[in-house]
């Protein structure tokens, strides 16, 4: 399966790219994608604890299943007031 990854803020800085495609096994979860991204970009280890993952524009849990063509975004903390 192929998924699209989008990086924002610290994740973009850590990887040096705004996005990429990633091949994952059928039945993969968001946690599996996270692990694959860490393997591909070890520099993500620093900002990773503060990032949230979104799956098709909705915040996702690590156990959530991904599907072929999914868009996964790594989103930094957002402040506001």
């Amino acid at each position: 399966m192929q998924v699209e990854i989008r990086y924002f803020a610290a994740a973009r800085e850590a990887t040096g790219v705004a996005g990429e495609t990633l091949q994952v096994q059928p039945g993969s979860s968001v946690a599996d994608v996270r692990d694959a991204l860490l393997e591909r970009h070890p520099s993500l280890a620093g900002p990773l604890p503060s990032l949230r993952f979104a799956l098709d524009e909705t915040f996702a849990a690590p156990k959530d299943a991904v599907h072929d063509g999914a868009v996964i975004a790594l989103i930094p903390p957002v402040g506001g007031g």
Side-chain angles (χ1 to χ4, degrees):
M1 290 189 324
Q2 185 171 318
V3 296
E4 182 179 341
I5 309 296
R6 295 184 183 159
Y7 300 105
F8 295 95
R12 182 182 294 173
E13 291 173 20
T15 61
V17 296
E20 63 185 316
T21 56
L22 182 69
Q23 292 290 342
V24 297
Q25 295 296 319
S28 292
S29 66
V30 170
D32 296 326
V33 171
R34 178 199 62 214
D35 295 345
L37 292 175
L38 273 172
E39 186 174 316
R40 182 180 276 195
H41 302 285
S43 56
L44 275 173
L48 190 64
S50 65
L51 299 175
R52 295 216 38 207
F53 282 72
L55 174 60
D56 296 329
E57 299 185 6
T58 301
F59 285 123
K63 65 179 178 161
D64 289 348
V66 299
H67 58 86
D68 189 42
V71 177
I72 299 171
L74 282 68
I75 308 207
V78 177

